[in-house]
Amino acid sequence: DGYFEQVVKQCRFSSKDLQDIELIDSYVFNKAEYVRFNSTVGKYVGYTEHGVKNAEAWNKGPGLAQELGELERYCKQHAPIAYS
């Protein structure tokens, strides 16, 4: 009973080259991903009707620039730790 919501933040590394790091934020409601930010794509993408509406709004707002900054602030900052 009830609802389950989570956000999963991933930094994907394919090499030690910091240019190859990818940030993915997945937004999940009741085990179904409804919207995702992918730094390679550079925007939010919706996978459900609700997710598409959220993605459109979030791509127009200040959150997009903040999300793009997370790649630099979070993923690239922690890459040396992952490779040590």
Side-chain angles (χ1 to χ4, degrees):
D1 287 14
Y3 300 100
F4 178 75
E5 185 165 16
Q6 72 181 53
V7 178
V8 179
K9 186 180 291 280
Q10 302 175 53
C11 297
R12 294 187 179 172
F13 306 87
S14 58
S15 73
K16 289 186 178 185
D17 183 6
L18 293 181
Q19 300 305 315
D20 292 338
I21 296 175
E22 179 180 44
L23 170 67
I24 297 176
D25 271 353
S26 298
Y27 295 79
V28 179
F29 183 74
N30 284 351
K31 300 181 183 179
E33 182 178 28
Y34 65 95
V35 69
R36 174 186 289 186
F37 173 81
N38 183 319
S39 63
T40 303
V41 176
K43 65 179 184 177
Y44 293 95
V45 176
Y47 297 108
T48 65
E49 183 178 345
H50 178 68
V52 169
K53 289 179 183 178
N54 280 334
E56 288 173 357
W58 296 350
N59 285 330
K60 294 176 186 172
L64 182 61
Q66 181 178 353
E67 195 73 71
L68 289 167
E70 287 293 293
L71 178 67
E72 296 292 327
R73 187 191 69 77
Y74 184 76
C75 291
K76 291 185 179 181
Q77 190 82 354
H78 292 91
I81 296 168
Y83 281 109
S84 65

